[in-house]
Amino acid sequence: MRVMEGLDLFEEVGRLKEELNAVILAHYYQEPDIQDVADFIGDSLALAQKAQRTDADVIVFCGVHFMAETAKILNPEKKVILPDLEAGCSLADSCPAEQFEEFLRRHPGHAVVSYVNTSAAVKALSDIICTSSNAEKIIATIPEDVPIVFAPDRHLGRYVQQKTGRKMVLWPGTCMVHVQFSEKKIRQLKVRHPEAEVLAHPECEERVLALADHVGSTSSLLRRVTESPAKTFIVATEPGIIHQMQKAAPEKTFIRAPGEGPACEACSECPHMRRNTLEKLLSCMRELSPEIEIDEELRLRALRPIERMLEVG
Ligand code: 13P
Ligand code: SF4
């Protein structure tokens, strides 16, 4: 039980949810208690799809800013609130819209595919959005003779390039969490646990992906733990997801992939995702703030490439 001001936080969040006709959406990287009070937990594609279909009046988005912003772009008439407005994303920050616009001027005639981990302003400059779940499918919609710019994650871009055989111009962004996994320490873990499968998110560096038995989005990694006969998994993504992995396969063992630092247990935790806490979740529901707001002209420009992605699925 978690208590604030003498109130059971879980009960109070549940009560407010009814009162507000709110839906709580949470990403797999949120702290376990937030996942446990959420109505729906998913990867970034599933969360966008859920936000598109909800009939709630208030969307409480437990994830990072670009995810909540995508929900708002899809639901201009609804209130979209998030526990901490400062919960950003190093990958989205690595691609400022003005610099991206300049980059696109240097690559005329290219189809622009942007990962959902971008600001609304970058989405507005893009032809179509993708997530790590559907990137290969999205690339397949672009005619073979059209060159492609892919932004902002260069590791996901390189991975998709290898999977699809399509050459793409890559924006050089990275995720601060996924690039810190240590190839050397994962190799050492594999020696100690030769039976273990390595699961990795495609935002990891190539040398880490080369050690992986399964590469995929958060939902794909989660599915793998039930579909695979393996009993032990080394997990090279944000460890928040291990909460759902343990629920899905309680008899199996999950080991966090280590980072480069000397005692780097916590560096695989996304500092942005972890800004959200159950206490801040309750406060934002009480105050209906912080709220995502977006200029209507920008929203409409960012909406079209998101809708194109959702049409592909
Ligand atoms: P998923 O789309 O796989 O959930 O990934 C989102 C993310 O931010 C990965 O770092
Ligand atoms: Fe962004 Fe990386 Fe955090 Fe995902 S894990 S939200 S890509 S900083």
Side-chain angles (χ1 to χ4, degrees):
M1 180 160 142
R2 252 165 100 170
V3 177
M4 189 170 102
E5 300 160 7
L7 295 167
D8 178 328
L9 276 170
F10 288 87
E11 273 179 27
E12 195 54 12
V13 167
R15 190 188 65 72
L16 274 169
K17 202 170 71 176
E18 297 293 313
E19 193 178 299
L20 299 169
N21 184 29
V23 64
I24 303 178
L25 306 182
H27 190 266
Y28 293 123
Y29 295 166
Q30 293 291 277
E31 63 168 53
D33 283 350
I34 291 185
Q35 295 186 34
D36 289 345
V37 291
D39 296 295
F40 181 78
I41 316 158
D43 68 3
S44 37
L45 176 62
L47 290 169
Q49 288 167 330
K50 199 76 185 169
Q52 189 189 31
R53 289 195 291 261
T54 184
D55 54 9
D57 296 318
V58 178
I59 299 174
V60 187
F61 210 112
C62 300
V64 290
H65 188 275
F66 75 80
M67 296 179 175
E69 189 173 62
T70 304
K72 182 67 181 178
I73 292 167
L74 290 164
N75 293 283
E77 75 295 349
K78 295 190 198 299
K79 239 181 209 313
V80 179
I81 54 175
L82 73 168
D84 191 322
L85 197 59
E86 303 289 307
C89 168
S90 67
L91 196 43
D93 292 347
S94 74
C95 188
E98 314 75 61
Q99 286 172 34
F100 190 51
E101 200 168 6
E102 167 55 27
F103 183 79
L104 295 181
R105 271 198 283 274
R106 284 187 270 122
H107 297 92
H110 286 59
V112 182
V113 181
S114 292
Y115 192 27
V116 69
N117 299 41
T118 44
S119 65
V122 167
K123 288 187 175 77
L125 295 168
S126 309
D127 294 306
I128 190 161
I129 304 304
C130 73
T131 74
S132 51
S133 277
N134 62 13
E136 289 168 47
K137 219 163 143 184
I138 298 290
I139 295 298
T141 66
I142 297 168
E144 290 282 344
D145 57 341
V146 177
I148 301 171
V149 162
F150 186 91
D153 189 53
R154 67 183 163 92
H155 296 300
L156 174 66
R158 187 206 55 250
Y159 176 74
V160 173
Q161 217 168 227
Q162 283 164 359
K163 295 294 276 185
T164 61
R166 295 289 294 271
K167 182 98 188 75
M168 307 192 296
V169 178
L170 306 179
W171 177 268
T174 57
C175 157
M176 63 186 288
V177 174
H178 287 88
V179 295
Q180 59 75 45
F181 290 114
S182 163
E183 177 204 356
K184 188 169 143 214
K185 291 187 195 170
I186 295 175
R187 278 190 194 284
Q188 288 165 351
L189 267 181
K190 276 172 74 106
V191 172
R192 268 192 280 144
H193 303 275
E195 74 296 356
E197 259 192 23
V198 177
L199 308 179
H201 196 279
E203 289 171 14
C204 292
E205 290 182 338
E206 190 168 17
R207 57 206 174 125
V208 168
L209 295 188
L211 300 176
D213 300 285
H214 183 82
V215 176
S217 65
T218 49
S219 54
S220 164
L221 301 184
L222 180 56
R223 260 195 319 275
R224 180 70 192 164
V225 304
T226 50
E227 288 172 2
S228 162
K231 297 272 179 282
T232 306
F233 298 87
I234 298 165
V235 182
T237 192
E238 217 278 0
I241 195 168
I242 293 177
H243 186 53
Q244 294 305 321
M245 289 177 168
Q246 271 161 343
K247 284 189 178 188
E251 73 292 358
K252 298 192 177 184
T253 304
F254 303 97
I255 304 167
R256 291 174 176 213
E260 284 295 353
C264 211
E265 259 289 285
C267 49
S268 56
E269 289 179 7
C270 172
H272 306 291
M273 286 279 182
R274 302 292 174 139
R275 288 187 79 97
N276 295 332
T277 61
L278 198 56
E279 289 75 11
K280 288 186 197 169
L281 169 57
L282 177 62
S283 303
C284 87
M285 290 177 79
R286 278 179 173 169
E287 290 157 28
L288 288 177
S289 169
E291 183 183 358
I292 298 282
E293 296 192 69
I294 182 163
D295 168 77
E296 182 60 7
E297 190 265 332
L298 173 61
R299 185 188 77 79
L300 289 172
R301 285 194 294 124
L303 177 63
R304 195 60 206 120
I306 297 172
E307 283 180 337
R308 279 195 200 108
M309 168 184 82
L310 294 171
E311 280 156 22
V312 177

